[in-house]
Amino acid sequence: MNQFSYACPVCNGLNSLILPCPKCGHSLQDGGRVFDYLANYSPYRPIDDLKMTDGWQDYQNHLCPHQTYCEQCGYQHVTFIQEMRL
């Protein structure tokens, strides 16, 4: 069985996250990985370990959850970025 590695193109600087705010139309800002907000040591834990315990289908579907927000109207949303196979 082949085991592939996956990486988020936004976290790794290969792509930018460019999305309009659904409420006001201004650009959403990328606040980074949701995992980094969970606890003091979350940014230092293995990504796949966090994905297996966060309650989303991100590990199985190779998605990276990012906190996005609008500076104009205050809208916040978790946006899932499709990871790329290495």
Side-chain angles (χ1 to χ4, degrees):
M1 180 166 122
N2 288 339
Q3 184 70 25
F4 296 105
S5 294
Y6 290 83
C8 175
V10 175
C11 287
N12 289 284
L14 301 174
N15 291 337
S16 296
L17 182 61
I18 302 171
L19 295 171
C21 175
K23 288 197 171 192
C24 71
H26 283 81
S27 295
L28 288 176
Q29 301 298 309
D30 180 14
R33 297 180 313 156
V34 171
F35 307 131
D36 294 347
Y37 297 95
L38 298 178
N40 291 342
Y41 294 103
S42 293
Y44 307 105
R45 289 180 56 197
I47 294 170
D48 286 345
D49 180 44
L50 290 163
K51 285 183 175 188
M52 288 190 272
T53 60
D54 66 9
W56 291 316
Q57 295 293 316
D58 50 343
Y59 180 73
Q60 297 86 349
N61 296 322
H62 308 291
L63 301 171
C64 186
H66 281 245
Q67 179 64 49
T68 54
Y69 62 95
C70 180
E71 291 178 337
Q72 185 70 27
C73 72
Y75 174 81
Q76 294 184 22
H77 181 71
V78 175
T79 301
F80 290 90
I81 310 298
Q82 183 65 57
E83 294 177 331
M84 53 188 240
R85 190 170 74 178
L86 303 176

